[in-house]
Amino acid sequence: MTATGPRNAPDVMDVVDVVALGESMVTFLPSRPGRLADVPSFERAIGGAESNVVCALAAAGHPARWVSRVGADGFGDHLVETVGAYGVDVASVARDPARPTGVYFRTAGDRSTDAHEVAYYRAGSAASAMSVDTVPLDAVRAARVLHLTGITAALSADCLGLLRTLMAPRSGRPLVSFDVNHRPRLWTDGNSPQVLLELARGADLVFVGEDEAAEVWGLDGVDVVRTAFPDPEVLVVKQGARGATVFDRGTVLHMPAPRVDVVAAVGAGDAFAAGFLSATLRGLPVRDRLRHGHLMAAAALTAPGDLAVPPSRDHADRLAALDDTAWGRLRLGPGWTQAAPATEEVRTP
């Protein structure tokens, strides 16, 4: 599967490799482990599934655009400046004078544990007002790949309507990449299974976690997931530390993940999507798409925040080209993306 350009792209808008539409927020990271009630101070960063993807892709050398809405406030300034500093086109991010930029606080613990806490302050945010009337549709559609997630669908009825419009079949539609990204706290109406299933079936390329599919739809196993999602040309089922399985038309391939010395288990899913999309845009074979996804995820897992410096393209290509035995021995630790590339294994210095 290779991404091709839209046939009827607007003449006035530069066509980029990837456009991602969605909310980004200012995130406050704790200065030490513990309950939110006990943490004395936080460091400011940014977080947002869609902006994470385009920042990683821009850092990897792809022309990328982020489309969203932020408040006319200092946090909005910080988001636009930070995302733009990665080389992402942020000219289509609108400012909303009546609604704030979303923010959230989280604990330092792994998101998969009961001790992990996240406090969102995003209700009524500027991004929740995204709609077909407030978003520049030409800027969104001027891409080889349009990346969307289920998070946006949960923000408001207008946001869901916008996704349905963008994913509707039409001449010149970009390749639509959709990450299910189920966030239970955002779905207050209980409609997430039906809505996310509808959106995933309308995409060309879908990313979903195996555990996520079990949680949302009660689907057990990768083959059962594929049966539930027969429409997307490409389906990627992420299986955590065990790797990922891709269904690409008649091809089914499982690729184990390299061993990783995890620093923080945040942002890995977005990074995996960025690596897979980068390899897709480059026309690489299915095996290498999965391996580039794993390598980009490993960069995120070995850094403290949602965003990490990706490996250089040459470095990632060398690792992705390893034979199966060498790939199985690969171990990646903090700083590996900046280390001199080894032929078989990268260890923590």
Side-chain angles (χ1 to χ4, degrees), residues 242-336:
R242 290 182 291 123
T245 299
V246 64
F247 297 84
D248 184 350
R249 289 164 289 220
T251 299
V252 182
L253 178 66
H254 173 79
M255 180 59 60
R259 289 172 292 166
V260 177
D261 297 329
V262 177
V263 172
V266 293
D270 303 329
F272 181 94
F276 191 93
L277 289 173
S278 174
T280 298
L281 286 158
R282 295 170 60 199
L284 299 184
V286 171
R287 184 203 72 161
D288 290 2
R289 296 177 197 182
L290 285 171
R291 287 188 173 186
H292 277 276
H294 286 319
L295 291 169
M296 197 77 87
L301 289 168
T302 52
D306 283 23
L307 291 167
V309 177
S312 70
R313 184 171 290 186
D314 287 346
H315 189 177
D317 282 345
R318 280 192 288 270
L319 293 178
L322 293 173
D323 62 40
D324 289 344
T325 300
W327 177 262
R329 291 200 300 264
L330 192 64
R331 180 170 181 173
L332 305 170
W336 75 270

Side-chain angles (χ1 to χ4, degrees), residues 145-168:
V145 172
L146 171 59
H147 184 69
L148 306 168
T149 81
I151 297 172
T152 304
L155 297 181
S156 68
D158 281 342
C159 285
L160 175 55
L162 173 62
L163 290 196
R164 284 172 167 155
T165 296
L166 292 172
M167 298 177 78

Side-chain angles (χ1 to χ4, degrees), residues 61-89:
H62 294 277
R65 177 179 300 127
W66 175 48
V67 179
S68 188
R69 291 175 67 81
V70 298
D73 50 35
F75 287 150
D77 293 342
H78 177 64
L79 280 173
V80 173
E81 291 166 4
T82 303
V83 174
Y86 280 85
V88 176
D89 174 5

Side-chain angles (χ1 to χ4, degrees), residues 210-227:
E210 186 175 28
D211 56 348
E212 185 177 45
E215 176 187 5
V216 180
W217 300 289
L219 304 175
D220 185 15
V222 295
D223 292 328
V224 177
V225 176
R226 181 52 165 172
T227 300

Side-chain angles (χ1 to χ4, degrees), residues 12-338:
V12 297
M13 181 63 61
D14 289 338
V15 176
V16 295
D17 278 356
V18 179
V19 167
L21 176 141
E23 180 172 34
S24 189
M25 296 178 289
V26 172
T27 177
F28 290 93
L29 309 177
S31 57
R32 63 173 175 81
R35 301 183 310 153
L36 286 178
D38 300 328
V39 175
S41 60
F42 297 80
E43 289 189 11
R44 184 183 65 177
I46 69 168
E50 300 85 2
S51 58
N52 286 347
V53 170
V54 286
C55 284
L57 282 163
H62 294 277
R65 177 179 300 127
W66 175 48
V67 179
S68 188
R69 291 175 67 81
V70 298
D73 50 35
F75 287 150
D77 293 342
H78 177 64
L79 280 173
V80 173
E81 291 166 4
T82 303
V83 174
Y86 280 85
V88 176
D89 174 5
V90 294
S92 299
V93 178
R95 300 302 184 94
D96 190 326
R99 297 176 180 84
T101 303
V103 301
Y104 74 97
F105 297 77
R106 67 173 175 85
T107 53
D110 189 326
R111 286 178 177 172
S112 65
T113 69
D114 293 337
H116 182 69
E117 297 175 75
V118 180
Y120 288 108
Y121 299 90
R122 71 195 304 177
S125 69
S128 69
M130 290 189 294
S131 71
V132 292
D133 298 318
T134 62
V135 166
L137 299 183
D138 284 354
V140 178
R141 289 169 169 153
R144 296 173 63 195
V145 172
L146 171 59
H147 184 69
L148 306 168
T149 81
I151 297 172
T152 304
L155 297 181
S156 68
D158 281 342
C159 285
L160 175 55
L162 173 62
L163 290 196
R164 284 172 167 155
T165 296
L166 292 172
M167 298 177 78
R170 69 188 298 272
S171 176
R173 190 184 86 165
L175 185 151
V176 174
S177 163
F178 181 73
D179 193 332
V180 172
N181 245 322
H182 182 236
R183 298 289 186 268
R185 293 184 186 184
L186 296 178
W187 292 94
T188 58
D189 58 8
N191 289 333
S192 61
Q194 304 96 302
V195 172
L196 293 173
L197 184 63
E198 169 205 336
L199 294 174
R201 286 176 170 173
D204 302 301
L205 164 60
V206 171
F207 298 97
V208 64
E210 186 175 28
D211 56 348
E212 185 177 45
E215 176 187 5
V216 180
W217 300 289
L219 304 175
D220 185 15
V222 295
D223 292 328
V224 177
V225 176
R226 181 52 165 172
T227 300
F229 295 95
D231 302 301
E233 186 174 307
V234 177
L235 172 68
V236 181
V237 183
K238 298 173 289 183
Q239 299 167 278
R242 290 182 291 123
T245 299
V246 64
F247 297 84
D248 184 350
R249 289 164 289 220
T251 299
V252 182
L253 178 66
H254 173 79
M255 180 59 60
R259 289 172 292 166
V260 177
D261 297 329
V262 177
V263 172
V266 293
D270 303 329
F272 181 94
F276 191 93
L277 289 173
S278 174
T280 298
L281 286 158
R282 295 170 60 199
L284 299 184
V286 171
R287 184 203 72 161
D288 290 2
R289 296 177 197 182
L290 285 171
R291 287 188 173 186
H292 277 276
H294 286 319
L295 291 169
M296 197 77 87
L301 289 168
T302 52
D306 283 23
L307 291 167
V309 177
S312 70
R313 184 171 290 186
D314 287 346
H315 189 177
D317 282 345
R318 280 192 288 270
L319 293 178
L322 293 173
D323 62 40
D324 289 344
T325 300
W327 177 262
R329 291 200 300 264
L330 192 64
R331 180 170 181 173
L332 305 170
W336 75 270
T337 61
Q338 304 302 303

